[in-house]
Amino acid sequence: MHFTSQLTSVTAIVNTLLAAHVSATKGNGVVPLTSTPWLERRALNASLAQNCLNFGRWDESLGHCECPPGFGGNDCGTPLCDSLPDGPNRHPRDPHQHSCLCADGWTGINCNVCMRNDVCDALVPPLGPGEEATCFSSIRPINRNYLQCEVTNKAIVEQLDGKKAEITYACDASDGSCAFQFWADEQESFFCQLSECTANEAHSKGVNRTTINCAKMHCGCYPGRMLCDPNGMDLSEWFASDDPEEGGPVGPGTLQCEETETHEGELPDRKCTFSEPHMNNLISTFFGDDNIKLACPIAGECVRASQIPGAPGGVPGDQPPDGSSGFSPLLIGLMCAGAAVLLAGVFGGIWWAREQTVKEFAGIYEAIDEIDAYDYEDDENGTRRAAMMSNHTPAEIMFRDVTYLIDRSAHPKRKWWPFTKNAATTTHSGTQDGNKLMVLDGVQGIVRPGEVMAIMGGSGAGKTTFLDILARKNKSGIVTGEVIVNGKFMGDEEYRSIIGYVDQEDTLMDTLTVYETIMYSALLRLPRTMSPEAKRARVMETMMELDILHIANRRIGSAGTRGISGGEKRRVSIACELVTGASVLFLDEPTSGLDAFNAYNVIECLVNLARTYHRTVILTIHQPRSNIYALFDKLVLLARGKMVYSGPAQEPCRDFFHKQGFVCPVGFNIADYLVDLTMHVANEVDTPPQSAIGSASEVPSPTDGLAPVFVPVSTSSSTPSTWSSLPAVPRRRRSNVRLQQETDLFTPHKTVDEEDEGVGMPNGADADTGGETSSLTPVEELKPLLPLPNERYSVHDGHTLGRATSKQSLASKRGSIIHGESNRQLRALATAYGESQVGETMARTIDEAVREANARQPAATVESSLDGLSNHVQRILNTKTHHRATLWTQFRILSSRTFKHLYRNPDLLRTHYIISVVVAICLGLLFWKVDLSLSGFQNRMGVLFFVCSVFGFGCLSSMQVFASERLIFVRERANGYYSPVTYFMSKVLFDLIPLRVIPPILLGLISYHMIGLRADNIFFLLRFLLVLVLFNLTAAACCLAISIIISDSGVATLVATLVMLFEMLFGGMLLNKATIPWIARWACHGSFFNAGWEALMVNEVNGLMLYETKFGLKINVPGTLVLQTFGLNAQGYWGDVVRLGGMLGILLFAGFLWLAVVVKERR
């Protein structure tokens, strides 16, 4: 029961009992006690003994409540007027009057606050000089002070609808207690008492800070008044509850005030707050503030002057904001002008940077044009050669037994379909273990300074793999062998510092010029002790040597933009490696994709470099032209990973194959012939097993629908080839012309000298019965393996090939030839090379060099992708290791390159800015000047969520920030251009910031005041822009991290889109937090959509008083209450800002970590 109903019931019960008692005793002549008015009043006062308001104490002797100063009446619920010195003679406020009429010099709702010193004489009689009565204005009590405060919480003020909200506060220093009352239009609403209070003060820079902490607190409600009205909002039960979780205020309560110095005669302007945990929760829920905010200009206490601790306090503060929105067309125009100035500043800065670049390179390009005006190939004084040879040490490379094995059991191939079976694989070396693949087997060679070594072979021969191993690239398999440089073993770090590697595909930035591309390579990779002028001179010399000086100021270009030719791009790639002064240059298919003319120009440049500047050049090439092949000094010929030949590329090579019976016909390109020969001898024929054709009856006839195969029979060089049509196992149909040509070209022929000397199988020897011992070469021994003719006896070149015992034996032998023996010619060629003079000489030379190297230091074998080599082996080549550019220099250079790429390809930047301006204008027109109705609240929610969506999905363009440069980064990192941290920071600073910071500021400046968002002061706009920028950066960092982690751009875009959709789902607009299952509630905390949208909503709605008019009634709804309904935290703005900043940092760190650890070159 509420207090008023309780009071009415108790009064009715007492009167009823008294009336019954009187009726019962009238007949007996007994006079009841209640017949006197005193007893009746005494009984009523006894019923009110436990209901003294404002914590007055019931006095049994007086029969009424003893009230605190300033309050009177039977229940202490009436404010007293006059002044404190009037004591018991003070008059209660007339019920028909709005406020008290205080005595002169006193003020406050109950006239307790002194305003002048002279009015205190009645309370504190003067005792002499220094003991005058003084009205001391301070928050901290000396004896007992009184405060008159005004509540400044905007939502509370608006909720009272014109009624003034005030608080009277009093503290007693003697017993450490305080009390305060809350008034609405000078009508008391509730009151609280605090105990165990302590006060402290702090002074700093002219500001006094006073804090009064009270450990305990309890409150009461004034019956029938606001907040305690049974017909309205009733908090009486909440005030009376002692529930520690949801009950009323129990403490601790804290009053904090700040005051600054004021001039004499002015009221101090004090800003205060009152906080208590339970009360704060109530205020936050209904009004969106974290505590009660007060302005307490009036405070006073009568004391002696000697009691004042220092100068009188009179301290300052500002009046609360008036809450006006500040909406005006002028303000809109100013904000749009600010956006225009910002755009002008951005594009002006880009124009200035472009002009600075033009000025910087103008003199360089003029010097280039002057050099290009005369024949710069003349170097009579040897100046350019001396510059190119400075700090250069020639390098001789020897390698032997280089083997590469892939163990598939150690690196199982992942398959999406778990039931897929892996077919057994036969390695190139003939091993039948399906888990191992021999890619290279025992390759050796020597290449000296000034020589060009070509690695040749058909597709799949292992050329690029072998080149990668020599260049010590990261390999996933097992690498063994020995590599010696100038007769010594070398560690990985030092070895990579003297080599350059040019990939098959050109990885150049299309927006840079030729000169800039080479110059950036020089700045990043040449020693930091080298002056910029020396680096620039090195770049000029390199371009002159590679004949690209005339295109120095032309951009590289891409498929969609015109640039330099393919051959020129290849020479630019070579220049980027050569400019570092590499002693050894590795090139993978440098002529790939080029026409014959450009291919020759590239190889010619490489040969000139090698011979003129003593560089060692090793390259892979596939079937070069004859004039290109004539430029090679050394040749390594591979077939299925086996070394067929390694040695001099010209006459010794021809002699070796001539001795094996393979003679390149006149008119044929020797390079084409050798590659086709390796392909022919290495090809395996996919045929049924021998048992399938084991008898003559099982041999299909030509009429069985199978293509007849014409089998070549070797002949002398002067005798035409004979052909026999034999039925064979099913195989690919080939034309007669091709078969005849392959027979003439790739069947071993005896030389004239061999025929004269009788080398070969003796006449009359029976091959089937094992005749005499053969003295044939390994290749000549393969002649009987050729398919046999139909005739019973066949004489070839005067030698008896043997007698076939039967058709069954012919078929059986043919089956064994076709199945499983197709690589015997390849093995025979490899064996023949090892036994040749070229192979033996090279092996002896390398063995001697290895013995000498082992004598100097322990042998370092190339194992486990060359990672096992020590980085502390003895320095060799007498080259001084140098430190390349510092991290700061790398960052500065990469930032310059990134910024140039951005403004030279401005489509993305321009589009983002245009979209921001267009969307801002559209939103400003569609949501023009939203009001404070509930529909206006819906518009506020919609526009803020739409803005987040625009920037969230706009950040998908960040997917291309790294995806378009992934290959460039991998190659440049592998070649030692820079550290991943400097690359990542430059991308974030000069890619993310121009695209993610400026657009939200543009949109906010243009649309904020057009929409009519809160403009109480400029801080609302600044907080709005802060959240937009942080949200945009976080979304962009998320997309960037996804593009780094997922290499496939299509899959990365799909994943990023799904992430954005789920971020929106848990953003708070589409799905209420309160309805989300607890198991998925973590997604809200990890959603940057949720953090961004909630912060924008709190900044906009918290503190607003929304209204809705229905049936002529105007209903006020606190904006905070609406936020709570949507599951938003009205006090969560700064928490959301911190959350956005944390997610931004985590996403950037995750992207960088993946970039540094995972995104590496793997071959």
Side-chain angles (χ1 to χ4, degrees), residues 60 277 399 458 513 520 579 597 628 680 818 885 918 985 1030 1051 1089:
E60 289 286 346
F399 50 89
T513 64
Y520 282 131
V579 75
F597 178 77
I628 292 178
H680 181 78
I818 295 174
V918 171
M985 292 302 297
L1030 278 177
V1051 176
F1089 257 91

Side-chain angles (χ1 to χ4, degrees), residues 602-623:
V602 170
I603 300 301
E604 182 189 24
C605 289
L606 293 174
V607 173
N608 288 335
L609 284 173
R611 296 177 181 174
T612 306
Y613 304 108
H614 287 188
R615 262 50 175 190
T616 303
V617 179
I618 303 175
L619 57 89
T620 62
I621 194 166
H622 184 71
Q623 291 185 311

Side-chain angles (χ1 to χ4, degrees), residues 519 522-523 526-528 530-539:
M519 189 65 191
L523 293 174
L526 286 175
R528 69 180 68 168
M530 195 173 181
S531 66
E533 293 75 14
K535 294 178 182 178
R536 188 175 297 110
R538 174 71 66 86
V539 171

Side-chain angles (χ1 to χ4, degrees), residues 700-751:
S701 66
T703 60
D704 291 337
L706 302 175
V709 179
F710 296 91
V711 183
V713 180
S714 60
T715 62
S716 65
S717 58
S718 59
T719 306
S721 301
T722 60
W723 298 81
S724 300
S725 179
L726 291 176
V729 295
R731 60 175 295 172
R732 181 165 58 89
R733 182 186 297 271
R734 293 190 178 185
S735 65
N736 293 349
V737 174
R738 180 172 181 178
L739 286 173
Q740 183 173 0
Q741 189 178 54
E742 288 182 352
T743 302
D744 292 339
L745 292 176
F746 306 125
T747 300
H749 294 74
K750 289 183 180 179
T751 63

